[in-house]
Amino acid sequence: MADPTYGARHIAIIMDGNGRWAKKKHLPRALGHKKGVEAVRNIVRVAGETGIKVLTLYAFSSENWSRPADEISDLMGLLRQYIQSDIEEFVENGVRLKVIGNYKALDRDIVGMIDNAIERTSKNDRMTLAVALNYGAQDEMLRAVQSIAMSAKAGEIEPDQININDISNLLDTGELPPLDLLIRTSGELRLSNFLLWQAAYSELYFTDTLWPDFDKRELQKALKSFGDRDRRFGGR
Ligand code: IPE
Ligand code: IPE
Ligand code: MG
């Protein structure tokens, strides 16, 4: 049988369309987000079973703070519930939790839950689940630039010696393998400030499917499409 990952080690998903899913069904937006969490739970399992090594999920962007307060509060409530209810499954299934983005700016109790979950799963090595929370690629790059500038100011590095790997390593994804496939659901054809540096040579896959409907078959379709691509990395 063909490798079900088609060689993709690291995939990332912009999980979009919860609101439109709810609207289509004349349900409150909050229910769309709730269904979205169920889709996350399912896809984390499926990705692990498929043999994906790293799954990075865009859960809350640094720009999502511009949403109404009640929606932000619904999303944070779901995040609390998700960490509490799924941590045992991560421990049992060998899932290592990682968070990218400036998550320390979230509510203190959430930061505590996240730090605890990261600690409890730190030795797991079947799959890494990297959740992007309060994440924006421009903010991530800004933080890396600030860190490099500090090192230069302290005389630890020469500005003309800074190389591409130094920058990659300083990003929140520093220790992760290169991004192979970037998926966006719900038909929007943009990156919305997600993994801008890391996507330099990723394959892109867009589907009209709304996030709550994204399931195993959809993931298999995306991976199959990835398998059909001719990745050149600038060569010929
Ligand atoms: C994605 O669904 C979830 C988050 C951004 C948190 P949306 O809430 O963006 O759903 P749409 O795009 O309005 O349908
Ligand atoms: C991107 O979706 C962020 C997440 C999926 C968490 P958005 O719904 O926020 O993106 P835009 O506003 O349509 O670009
Ligand atoms: Mg959206």
Side-chain angles (χ1 to χ4, degrees):
M1 208 188 102
D3 172 7
T5 71
Y6 295 89
R9 275 197 301 163
H10 181 178
I11 71 174
I13 310 180
I14 301 172
M15 310 183 289
D16 198 12
N18 293 350
R20 277 161 286 167
W21 183 92
K23 192 167 185 190
K24 234 176 60 183
K25 296 193 144 47
H26 308 286
L27 295 169
R29 266 186 96 81
L31 261 177
H33 291 313
K34 192 156 174 265
K35 282 299 267 187
V37 174
E38 286 172 30
V40 167
R41 190 169 283 131
N42 181 49
I43 240 41
V44 169
R45 282 182 196 142
V46 167
E49 288 160 9
T50 306
I52 297 296
K53 292 313 287 180
V54 182
L55 175 65
T56 300
L57 298 178
Y58 205 4
F60 193 86
S61 78
S62 48
E63 286 73 34
N64 286 147
W65 296 111
S66 64
R67 295 194 179 198
D70 62 336
E71 181 171 1
I72 293 175
S73 148
D74 287 342
L75 288 165
M76 294 302 152
L78 284 168
L79 177 61
R80 283 186 181 88
Q81 274 178 25
Y82 177 67
I83 303 170
Q84 275 170 334
S85 60
D86 284 46
I87 170 81
E88 295 307 330
E89 183 168 334
F90 296 162
V91 172
E92 276 164 36
N93 289 348
V95 175
R96 179 176 75 111
L97 181 73
K98 182 181 169 73
V99 171
I100 63 170
N102 184 14
Y103 77 95
K104 299 276 183 188
L106 298 178
D107 287 351
R108 232 175 46 182
D109 68 308
I110 299 185
V111 176
M113 282 181 201
I114 290 172
D115 285 337
N116 177 264
I118 291 173
E119 167 69 27
R120 281 194 63 198
T121 61
S122 63
K123 299 281 185 311
N124 290 350
D125 61 1
R126 180 156 166 261
M127 183 177 85
T128 296
L129 171 64
V131 182
L133 292 172
N134 190 19
Y135 176 91
Q138 291 175 339
D139 172 68
E140 177 190 39
M141 288 191 255
L142 170 64
R143 287 184 280 110
V145 167
Q146 285 171 335
S147 157
I148 291 176
M150 299 283 271
S151 301
K153 194 177 170 196
E156 292 158 8
I157 41 164
E158 289 299 326
D160 61 357
Q161 297 297 304
I162 299 164
N163 60 41
I164 289 182
N165 271 337
D166 294 333
I167 299 175
S168 292
N169 291 335
L170 279 166
L171 298 177
D172 298 345
T173 50
E175 34 112 13
L176 300 177
L179 180 61
D180 295 309
L181 173 64
L182 175 56
I183 297 171
R184 182 171 189 147
T185 61
S186 87
E188 305 299 344
L189 305 179
R190 57 177 171 267
L191 297 181
S192 301
N193 205 9
F194 193 45
L195 302 179
L196 299 182
W197 173 280
Q198 296 86 341
Y201 271 103
S202 307
E203 294 298 325
L204 307 179
Y205 179 87
F206 298 97
T207 172
D208 287 339
T209 302
L210 304 172
W211 175 250
D213 293 327
F214 193 89
D215 59 9
K216 180 174 182 172
R217 261 195 61 233
E218 297 285 338
L219 183 69
Q220 285 171 335
K221 256 170 46 187
L223 287 167
K224 169 83 175 60
S225 166
F226 173 80
D228 291 339
R229 310 282 177 92
D230 176 19
R231 300 186 82 185
R232 301 208 187 116
F233 300 98
R236 50 167 261 183

